[in-house]
Amino acid sequence: MWRNSLLSVGLRAQWLSSGVSALGAQCGTAVRRHDASAAAAATRHDAKLKTMDDLGGPSFITTLYWLFIKGYFQITQQLQIEHSKIYGPLWKSKYGPLIVVNVASAELIEQVLRQEGRHPIRTDMPHWRSYRTLRNQAHGPLTEMGEKWQKIRSILNPRMLKPKHVSSYSNTINEVVTDFIHRVTWLQETSGNRVMVNDLTGELYKFAFEGICAVLFETRMGCMNQVVPEETQKFIFSVGEMFRLSPIIVLFPQSTWPYMPFWKKFVAAWDHLFKVAEALVQKKMEEIQARVDLDHSVEGAYLTHLLLSDKMTVPEILGSITELLLAGVDTTSNTISWSLYNLAKQRKIQERLYQEVISVCPGNKVPVSDDISHMPYLKAIIRETLRLYPVVPGNARVTAENEIVVGDYLFPKNTLFHLCHYAVSYDESIFPEAKSFLPERWLRGGDEKYKLHPFGSVPFGFGIRACLGRRVAELEMYLLLSRIIKHYEVRPDPAGTAVKPITRTLLAPAVPINLQFIDRRAREEESRTATHASV
């Protein structure tokens, strides 16, 4: 219990890494094979290998100094880079009795991930699991472990990961995109200058929330309305409250939680999430039953499929679909926010994307899933955004099944690894001009200097425990960004505010992102009118 509370001080986001790296970018397609025999050979000669005792790294007091005195508590992603400069690509951090092994090299991260076993474990998320025990709720793909987790994933995977199923969600997502564009128009009209959209990330959060609810629950929540329904606002607030309280709770021993006021708020937030989710599931069950009673065919998408498949109980469906919802919002909203922020600053890149989109979808054609395969630059922009701003800056793994060899070191079972993806994303040896927004580095057949390591940027994770909602998140991002750029020219905030990332459980903008959205058709019409008048 105490080991988990101490872990959160240094890693901040790692308790969440089992799923929230939910719904965001690429898990390198050209993954090269690791020579497992090399690790086995190394193990046979473990007398030559170093141990954890040989690893350098900061003490617990030194880590606290970095976090609180030197001011890295909200920019812990940057601490990965600073510590890797001091200690090299492999070091240990101490948090009281807990030891965390940090890995800040693409090659070494690959070694860890390729030895993760049949049932990979990130962290055990004791606060989420304790709530389920308290309320007798079923675990979902984020909180379940071992063979039970594998069973859940085997049921949930097909409709979330198979392209033919994911592509069927295009129309549902596009309806939400259309409503978002209408909402942008309304926001501009109410802003006073008809071009500004303030707090873009907050608006995109509503879009992502509406989109994932439309896919998972097959219903609309009203987030794109001019006035968001009170019940939906409370639902969104409960999600935010749960995330806000999670890293605070695990700072304390589990035995003290029932006596802490924020534990009661945490439980209340979860209670409301399950209450709303249960109502939506019940509503869908009644709709299905009504059609059956009338001898009508039953059609539907994700929730309907789960209810009809008879592979999960209703409590299991409720637990799984609620966790999927939580994993499906921040990835989309933060990534699109950062994409638009960078596109606004780099007009040439934005223009190249615009030309690609209109060449594939000219006139009034609305992009769908099949069109995205013909937009490599669009995909490259999302991948580059997720490299610079990975939603989860680091990931965690526990060697629960076997001892493993990483580099020149032999690590025992139950070693906790912190995979420093943010630091690797800024490694100049892998990503030349690492601080620059260069989507072309992801294009096939591009510059030779952009030959990338497949584990240099893996914000969706890797292997059988990779992000379950990856393909839905990507589809949301592709459809939304392509249509925004087709409809608007995006320009920077005239105030010139620079936005940096900070760690608030997830990587997020430190201040609101405000951008100008210039309607392309309206501008072209004004230009034609002006030309006609001058003639």
Side-chain angles (χ1 to χ4, degrees), residues 351-367:
E351 179 62 22
R352 179 173 175 179
L353 174 61
Y354 173 66
Q355 293 299 328
E356 178 181 78
V357 173
I358 63 173
S359 68
V360 176
C361 297
N364 294 324
K365 178 174 170 48
V366 174

Side-chain angles (χ1 to χ4, degrees), residues 26 106 383-384 386-388 421-436 438 441-442 449-458:
Q26 71 289 6
R383 297 187 77 175
E384 180 70 347
L386 280 156
R387 178 189 70 83
L388 286 168
H421 297 303
Y422 186 88
V424 176
S425 290
Y426 286 82
D427 185 343
E428 288 282 345
S429 67
I430 300 175
F431 300 104
E433 302 176 72
K435 294 181 180 180
S436 299
L438 300 172
R441 71 171 85 240
W442 298 100
K449 69 179 180 180
Y450 296 136
K451 284 191 173 181
L452 309 177
H453 192 290
F455 285 78
S457 179
V458 283

Side-chain angles (χ1 to χ4, degrees), residues 385-406:
T385 302
L386 280 156
R387 178 189 70 83
L388 286 168
Y389 311 96
V391 180
V392 178
N395 213 329
R397 281 293 191 279
V398 178
T399 56
E401 298 182 21
N402 302 295
E403 61 181 14
I404 69 171
V405 174
V406 182

